[in-house]
Amino acid sequence: MNDLIDLHTHTIACGHAYNTLYEMVKSAVEHHIALFGSSDHGPAIPGSCQEIYFANFKVIPRQLFGIRLLMGCELNIIDYEGHVDLKEITQSRLDYGIASLHVPCCTPGSITDNTNAYLGVMKNPYVQIIGHPDDSRYPVDYDALVAAAAEHHKLLEVNSSSLHPQSPRKGAKEHYLEMLSLCIRYNTPIIIGSDAHCVADVGNHRRAIELLEEIHFPQQLIINTHVEKLIPYIPALSDWLPNSCTSPT
């Protein structure tokens, strides 16, 4: 499978990752990633970046070491209505947003509570990706989740880090099997993310790819295979379409 995109990554700025932005981008080049995104955690995560960090992305070049760079945020969903932890004006300045549930930021609730949190955040125009919807601590109605993602034009992430045996998000494979079967039914695209917190994991989608291949998930629903597939979600990419980002025919 052509695997050209990694948008779910973290730098030392978030307080619990181990490399700088420039080190992460260099690693993306080494791992043949064509489009790299940095998505440090929002301020509700203990020790993470404050609002001013995300408000100053204008100073960062959007092309480094020969590849395209996007600057986003892994926004924390902070309640069952789907509110997140950055001001709307700051969200509007991001290249993209990933919205995720994390235990320090939102107490796990019932299936209805957790599903409503996701459905609420899907109404946010600055969110393009729902991050790791796979955690047993946050049981959800996957039929409602996948149908809403198709309706609201959001990407559901298959988070490769969640599939690591030591991941705190237990039950990820079983939840992804359910979610992915529904993605096929509803024709809902997915995006693979590494959730890298160090250079060694940039572009490391091995576990996610193995799962997708195991169930013969249709490649046309996998965004990572062509950078152009992201344009409907991140229109600014239409201004930058080097030939190196297109998959061979």
Side-chain angles (χ1 to χ4, degrees):
M1 188 190 91
N2 239 28
D3 184 17
L4 302 171
I5 300 168
D6 195 3
L7 297 187
H8 191 158
T9 69
H10 300 282
T11 76
I12 197 169
C14 79
H16 62 276
Y18 301 96
N19 292 96
T20 68
L21 174 64
Y22 275 48
E23 288 169 342
M24 296 292 277
V25 177
K26 284 183 178 179
S27 182
V29 174
E30 294 167 1
H31 289 90
H32 310 293
I33 296 297
L35 177 64
F36 177 82
S38 181
S39 55
D40 280 318
H41 292 277
I45 285 282
S48 193
C49 319
Q50 298 304 299
E51 191 100 16
I52 192 170
Y53 174 81
F54 302 99
N56 199 38
F57 282 169
K58 64 183 183 299
V59 305
I60 298 174
R62 292 306 195 268
Q63 187 155 330
L64 283 175
F65 310 118
I67 68 170
R68 176 66 185 245
L69 169 64
L70 295 177
M71 296 300 298
C73 176
E74 185 175 11
L75 299 156
N76 296 292
I77 303 171
I78 57 174
D79 58 33
Y80 304 137
E81 295 178 352
H83 295 110
V84 295
D85 58 340
L86 283 182
K87 297 175 183 175
E88 184 174 357
I89 183 63
T90 307
Q91 293 178 59
S92 72
R93 294 170 178 164
L94 301 173
D95 291 331
Y96 66 101
I98 301 171
S100 304
L101 284 166
H102 295 104
V103 171
C105 309
C106 186
T107 302
S110 66
I111 291 177
T112 299
D113 291 334
N114 302 327
T115 303
N116 284 342
Y118 282 130
L119 300 186
V121 84
M122 285 187 195
K123 298 174 184 177
N124 185 332
Y126 305 115
V127 169
Q128 288 78 34
I129 299 168
I130 301 301
H132 50 70
D134 56 33
D135 192 338
S136 291
R137 294 171 294 186
Y138 292 101
V140 299
D141 179 341
Y142 279 104
D143 193 282
L145 178 78
V146 175
E151 177 185 355
H152 294 287
H153 197 58
K154 307 298 182 183
L155 296 171
L156 296 174
E157 181 190 44
V158 176
N159 186 294
S160 203
S161 178
S162 294
L163 296 165
H164 191 288
Q166 295 179 348
S167 171
R169 297 189 288 269
K170 303 303 180 184
K173 181 174 181 179
E174 291 73 23
H175 295 148
Y176 280 139
L177 288 172
E178 181 180 357
M179 185 185 87
L180 291 168
S181 68
L182 290 162
C183 286
I184 295 172
R185 181 192 303 176
Y186 287 105
N187 202 38
T188 303
I190 60 99
I191 188 167
I192 307 169
S194 69
D195 207 349
H197 285 67
C198 69
V199 293
D201 277 331
V202 173
N204 180 7
H205 298 155
R206 177 178 60 83
R207 291 182 178 87
I209 291 172
E210 287 175 354
L211 177 60
L212 294 170
E213 290 178 345
E214 177 184 325
I215 64 171
H216 305 289
F217 191 79
Q219 290 203 22
Q220 64 266 27
L221 293 180
I222 305 173
I223 293 294
N224 302 67
T225 60
H226 292 262
V227 172
E228 291 90 336
K229 288 182 177 181
L230 263 179
I231 293 174
Y233 302 91
I234 306 176
L237 284 172
S238 62
D239 297 331
W240 186 83
L241 288 174
N243 292 333
S244 62
C245 287
T246 58
S247 297
T249 56

